[in-house]
């Protein structure tokens, strides 16, 4: 399991979405990510486009990562160049 404490919100979103994609498939990761942002839009959270971009990075990383360790490295690289 991945340690998330101390990581940025973007990194947490990437890792969460990527882990869901690895374990349950990309469609499930997409639904979870968008569901969370819709809940933020209408609930106490804060809807952020950047979260959706980080979720997309996680799903893309999952497509090229055989495990969570490679996923974590891919997320770090993907978010280092993201706007």
């Amino acid at each position: 399991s991945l340690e998330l404490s101390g990581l940025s919100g973007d990194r947490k979103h990437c890792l969460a979405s990527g882990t869901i994609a690895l374990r349950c498939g990309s469609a499930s990761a997409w639904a979870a990510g968008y569901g969370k942002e819709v809940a933020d839009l209408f609930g106490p959270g804060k809807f952020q486009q950047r979260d959706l971009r980080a979720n997309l990075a996680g799903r893309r990383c999952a497509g090229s990562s055989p495990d969570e360790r490679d996923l974590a490295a891919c997320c770090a690289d993907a978010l280092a160049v993201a706007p």
Side-chain angles (χ1 to χ4, degrees), residues 2-35:
L2 296 170
E3 178 58 45
L4 299 178
S5 62
L7 297 179
S8 70
D10 290 347
R11 191 84 153 275
K12 288 177 183 178
H13 274 271
C14 187
L15 291 170
S17 189
T19 299
I20 293 169
L22 282 174
R23 295 180 182 179
C24 306
S26 186
S28 294
W30 181 90
Y34 272 89

Side-chain angles (χ1 to χ4, degrees), residues 25-83:
S26 186
S28 294
W30 181 90
Y34 272 89
K36 191 262 185 213
E37 290 309 308
V38 168
D40 284 350
L41 185 60
F42 296 104
K46 182 179 178 189
F47 173 85
Q48 295 182 326
Q49 281 287 110
R50 72 182 297 133
D51 292 346
L52 295 176
R53 286 191 296 272
N55 291 342
L56 175 60
R59 292 191 309 273
R60 286 180 176 165
C61 283
S64 62
S65 300
D67 57 35
E68 290 177 348
R69 179 178 222 162
D70 283 349
L71 173 70
C74 181
C75 281
D77 290 344
L79 296 174
V81 297

